[in-house]
Amino acid sequence: MEKIVIKIKRFNGEREWFQEYTVSVTERTTLIEALMELQGSIDPSLSFRVQCRAAICGTCGVKINGEYHVLACKTKIKEFIKNGIITVEPLSNMKVIKDLVTDHGEFLYKIKDVKGWFEPAEEFQRVYPEDLQKFEKETDCILCGICYSICPAFEIDRDFGGPINFVKVFRFWKDKNDALKDERIVIAEKNHITSCVHCKYCTFSCPKQIPVEQDIMQIEFYGKQKGIIKSSESGGGFSTPFGF
Ligand code: SF4
Ligand code: SF4
Ligand code: FES
């Protein structure tokens, strides 16, 4: 056991401040275990979200040391301690409700804007393993919002649909039994997919290793080839291996 300091950004609806707590951790202690211990033994007023503790429900996202956006239940605290301290803040790009609890409403409502659900085609086609492979990874999305939190595109465009929602577009666009087909690309364009600056932060941070930026790139590339998305609208002037 080792004593470390957890510095947490607090918010009570009126003001925000950083508060430091000393807790004992081992090599295996996860951030969520430390927060639960802290809340149970030191400060019951601290708020954070937790449910499954197994990287499945997607509720426990937080930001640590100002740069890593992670699931608290999947993160071993010792790996992020610097000079005996770890800093924990709520996710970015969404409203803070209290302490580490953020409002996931913004990105969840945007799922509606992109029709992020299956629309069955009239005739069902048999599905083979190679069909599933095209979007299998994207079905792992747990709606944690970590990609949404880390995305810099919101600095220039608050109406950007966000990486999480373009993962949904990709997943159903690749499904041969989905009825919307190219309408999904039109929807992506309407939700400002070209505001993506292709930094890949979403891909590197996704706890489910979904190739988020690559999915966005594929949608944009296809949309531009088909004339659905205008080439001149490419986000931030970023140049891609495809030359658009
Ligand atoms: S690659 Fe695009 S969607 Fe992903 S974090 Fe960067 S700007 Fe956002
Ligand atoms: S794509 Fe990854 S980071 Fe984004 S919401 Fe889904 S699981 Fe979370
Ligand atoms: S508590 Fe469910 S993903 Fe962390």
Side-chain angles (χ1 to χ4, degrees), residues 126-169:
R126 193 183 289 256
V127 176
Y128 296 96
E130 56 269 30
D131 297 319
L132 281 178
Q133 267 173 17
K134 290 179 187 161
F135 57 86
E136 203 167 19
K137 209 58 213 140
E138 287 69 19
T139 62
D140 288 343
C141 175
I142 54 171
L143 302 177
C144 65
I146 283 175
C147 56
Y148 198 90
S149 169
I150 205 167
C151 179
F154 294 110
E155 286 170 24
I156 47 165
D157 183 1
R158 271 317 294 176
D159 294 325
F160 180 55
I164 177 174
N165 292 312
F166 296 123
V167 165
K168 295 281 156 227
V169 169

Side-chain angles (χ1 to χ4, degrees), residues 189 194 223-224 227-234:
E189 199 269 341
T194 53
K224 285 170 184 176
I228 301 169
I229 296 173
K230 288 193 191 79
S231 290
S232 58
E233 288 176 2
S234 187

Side-chain angles (χ1 to χ4, degrees), residues 49-60 71-73 142:
R49 276 213 189 91
V50 57
Q51 229 169 355
C52 69
R53 297 175 62 183
I56 293 168
C57 73
T59 202
C60 67
L71 293 178
C73 69
I142 54 171

Side-chain angles (χ1 to χ4, degrees), residues 133-141 147 162-174 184-185 188 193 196 198 200 202-203 206 208-223 229 242 244:
Q133 267 173 17
K134 290 179 187 161
F135 57 86
E136 203 167 19
K137 209 58 213 140
E138 287 69 19
T139 62
D140 288 343
C141 175
C147 56
I164 177 174
N165 292 312
F166 296 123
V167 165
K168 295 281 156 227
V169 169
F170 183 92
R171 182 256 174 269
F172 296 110
W173 171 53
K174 288 285 172 183
R184 296 220 176 259
I185 312 300
I193 191 168
C196 170
H198 297 281
K200 294 191 170 73
C202 48
T203 301
C206 176
K208 294 294 169 184
Q209 290 83 45
I210 296 170
V212 187
E213 186 270 343
Q214 206 176 304
D215 294 352
I216 292 174
M217 183 94 92
Q218 269 201 55
I219 296 169
E220 277 194 74
F221 180 57
Y222 177 87
I229 296 173
F242 301 108
F244 56 79

Side-chain angles (χ1 to χ4, degrees), residues 3 9 13 18 73 99 131 135 173 181 235:
K3 283 201 183 309
K9 190 169 187 184
F18 277 98
C73 69
D99 300 334
D131 297 319
F135 57 86
W173 171 53
K181 311 283 183 217

